[in-house]
Amino acid sequence: MLIPIRRYPVPLTRQIRHLGMLLTLMVLIEIVNSLTGRALSGLGILPRHPDSLWHIPFAPFLHANLWHLLSNLTMLTLFGLLLFQHGLARFWLVTWTVTVLGGLGVWWFGRPAYHMGSSLLIFGYFGYLLLAGMLSRELKLLLISIGIGIVYGGLLLGVLPQQHWVSFEAHLFGFLAGLFSAVIMGRARS
């Protein structure tokens, strides 16, 4: 099944405004979380706990600490701006699909710990950008896919277990949700 969402050019100022809203929300949540002694961290995804299912939409906006947030902002900004080349509607649909499907994957298969952070979105955007350009058959988007694969292909190692404090599950299921998004949205032409 393909979702026929037309691609319309998004002016840079609008891209920055929408991405800025997303990033500002993350920063504000981090400030509140820091000032409340990390009280919001309990809204991360705790796998297989029924009460944690409703935490899925919040998990990408929460971070373990300021360093965790700052380390994610650059990649999220870069991949977000590249994703806007697929259109504004796709940016938000991919963001929502990755958050929900990736979060459900973490909830179902993750290790018993709180999972949070925008790396779920980063890997979801990465998966989408890697595949959608190839499926679109549009030169600009194809070049983005090739460039992402060449420059950031090493990110694929992040879907493997490495450090115990890193949620490779969020990386893995975010990436898979991004690929899924590309399959259902990537072929619709502008």
Side-chain angles (χ1 to χ4, degrees):
M1 176 178 106
L2 299 178
I3 297 178
I5 301 160
R6 296 187 64 79
R7 242 185 298 279
Y8 296 104
V10 183
L12 183 60
T13 55
R14 198 162 179 208
Q15 294 176 33
I16 291 169
R17 189 171 63 241
H18 280 265
L19 193 56
M21 289 185 321
L22 190 68
L23 300 177
T24 300
L25 181 59
M26 287 181 185
V27 169
L28 290 174
I29 288 172
E30 176 56 31
I31 290 169
V32 169
N33 207 13
S34 293
L35 294 175
T36 59
R38 317 282 338 144
L40 299 178
S41 294
L43 293 175
I45 300 170
L46 190 57
R48 293 169 299 286
H49 283 255
D51 292 344
S52 183
L53 269 173
W54 73 274
H55 298 177
I56 288 172
F58 302 106
F61 296 92
L62 295 167
H63 293 83
N65 52 47
L66 181 61
W67 177 249
H68 183 207
L69 171 65
L70 293 176
S71 66
N72 282 327
L73 286 181
T74 302
M75 293 299 289
L76 189 62
T77 301
L78 173 66
F79 287 171
L81 289 172
L82 290 172
L83 183 53
F84 272 115
Q85 305 317 300
H86 291 262
L88 181 62
R90 288 183 199 217
F91 173 83
W92 288 112
L93 274 171
V94 170
T95 299
W96 178 249
T97 303
V98 167
T99 297
V100 173
L101 293 183
L104 284 170
V106 171
W107 184 84
W108 192 257
F109 297 106
R111 291 169 288 163
Y114 282 101
H115 297 259
M116 64 186 80
S118 56
S119 58
L120 178 86
L121 290 175
I122 291 168
F123 277 82
Y125 291 175
F126 173 61
Y128 182 86
L129 291 168
L130 204 57
L131 184 57
M134 292 183 233
L135 295 176
S136 75
R137 294 182 236 128
E138 293 180 35
L139 182 60
K140 176 177 86 169
L141 302 178
L142 177 61
L143 291 174
I144 290 172
S145 286
I146 292 168
I148 286 289
I150 291 170
V151 177
Y152 295 103
L155 277 179
L156 286 172
L157 295 175
V159 303
L160 302 173
Q162 294 175 26
Q163 295 104 354
H164 72 289
W165 63 87
V166 174
S167 177
F168 78 90
E169 297 94 335
H171 299 177
L172 173 63
F173 291 108
F175 180 71
L176 293 174
L179 293 177
F180 175 77
S181 297
V183 168
I184 65 169
M185 291 180 235
R187 288 193 178 123
R189 303 208 35 103
S190 47

